[in-house]
Amino acid sequence: MATVNTLLKRSGVDVDGLVKRHVIEKYPRSEIPQRYGVNLARYRERGGAIDLPAEVELFIKGSENNKQDLSRLYALCLAFDQIEHESIAGDMAELGVYKGHTAVVLARFARRTERHLYLLDTFSGFAEEDLAGPDQTQQMQFQDTDFDAVRSFVGDGPVSYVRGKFPDTADQLPNEGRYALVHIDCDLYAPIKAGLEYFYPRMAPGGFLIIHDYSSLYWPGAEQAIDEFFADKPESVIPMPDISGTVVVRRCK
């Protein structure tokens, strides 16, 4: 398979600007979707709004792990494009925000498309009572975050921050909420199961449920919660080749 650099040379596209400087040269081992690389001009002509260099810089800022996981970011960007392409109505939510590296990308998309984004997290790490069942051997993690720092990084605008343990905080979401994209990144069985039970029936037809940590083998609770929930649903999980084994589900129309 031709590399990105080979395709760029063949195409004759001038990429001496931001895409080349901020993505290709810094992260040569990461294959960029062609619409954001060799076909960037065509993507722009069709109205594409993803600003890949900016998305990359925000996604990796202060995160060594994310520098090795750009395929996860690209999958998010492609989902954004598909939502726009199919005119899927609805807002967005993220359950499990941590330091805001996916939230900041979601927020940029929300602002561009005039959607609202709801960010839900304890902002203090795992809830101790969730370290049970398939997760009883897990250690307390993700306490090295700070609500004010996350809010400063992600920004406000069409963004609501919901602080506390889910689903106890579900009453802070709109009663008639409808969602085009929901990102669940809670690692553990209990909050993932609660997130699926709440958001699945509120997904717009064609909407994207994106769930992290399914196939990494580090988080048995995540795998169990997702398998159990979708066992009797018409949708199937689609594994993604990112580091921690995200799965994507699209709500049946």
Side-chain angles (χ1 to χ4, degrees):
M1 180 179 292
T3 66
V4 169
N5 288 330
T6 300
L7 290 171
L8 287 168
K9 290 178 181 178
R10 290 177 184 173
S11 69
V13 174
D14 178 12
V15 290
D16 290 330
L18 290 176
V19 172
K20 183 177 179 182
R21 289 200 305 274
H22 291 280
V23 182
I24 297 169
E25 291 179 350
K26 285 187 177 181
Y27 315 106
R29 297 177 60 188
S30 179
E31 292 294 337
I32 302 170
Q34 291 177 338
R35 64 173 46 205
Y36 308 134
V38 295
N39 284 327
L40 180 62
R42 186 175 303 172
Y43 174 71
R44 294 284 187 237
E45 289 172 0
R46 292 180 55 174
I50 297 296
D51 181 7
L52 188 59
E55 316 295 358
V56 169
E57 293 303 322
L58 289 167
F59 183 71
I60 69 171
K61 186 176 183 180
S63 174
E64 290 300 316
N65 183 72
N66 282 9
K67 287 181 181 179
Q68 309 303 317
D69 202 14
L70 290 181
S71 58
R72 183 182 177 202
L73 170 65
Y74 298 153
L76 272 176
C77 291
L78 290 169
F80 296 157
D81 280 344
Q82 199 64 25
I83 287 169
E84 285 295 279
H85 179 66
E86 297 181 19
S87 300
I88 298 173
D91 292 320
M92 300 190 298
E94 180 173 58
L95 178 58
V97 179
Y98 188 37
K99 295 186 178 182
H101 287 96
T102 53
V104 69
V105 177
L106 292 168
R108 285 168 58 82
F109 179 68
R111 295 182 187 106
R112 286 196 300 266
T113 58
E114 299 183 344
R115 302 171 192 267
H116 202 89
L117 172 64
Y118 299 90
L119 298 176
L120 303 99
D121 202 305
T122 64
F123 295 99
S124 59
F126 289 153
E128 188 170 354
E129 58 266 36
D130 290 340
L131 299 177
D135 299 310
Q136 60 185 317
T137 62
Q138 299 289 352
Q139 302 298 311
M140 184 66 71
Q141 294 188 48
F142 306 111
Q143 295 169 296
D144 59 330
T145 185
D146 177 81
F147 174 77
D148 292 331
V150 171
R151 188 166 191 167
S152 176
F153 179 45
V154 175
D156 292 304
V159 182
S160 294
Y161 294 85
V162 181
R163 191 174 184 176
K165 185 178 184 300
F166 193 83
D168 298 345
T169 55
D171 60 356
Q172 297 182 49
L173 297 172
N175 291 332
E176 304 300 323
R178 200 72 162 167
Y179 300 91
L181 185 149
V182 173
H183 181 240
I184 298 178
D185 186 4
C186 312
D187 306 292
L188 305 177
Y189 176 90
I192 290 176
K193 193 73 176 290
L196 291 171
E197 289 173 347
Y198 180 86
F199 285 108
Y200 175 84
R202 293 170 172 83
M203 297 301 298
F208 285 74
L209 260 172
I210 301 175
I211 314 150
H212 201 221
D213 297 306
Y214 175 80
S215 56
S216 71
L217 302 183
Y218 282 113
W219 303 102
E223 183 177 358
Q224 182 176 331
I226 295 165
D227 284 345
E228 287 180 3
F229 185 81
F230 286 103
D232 61 353
K233 303 295 186 297
E235 299 87 359
S236 299
V237 300
I238 301 173
M240 304 299 290
D242 59 357
I243 289 175
S244 295
T246 295
V247 290
V248 175
V249 177
R250 295 197 67 187
R251 190 71 161 88
C252 288
K253 297 184 178 181

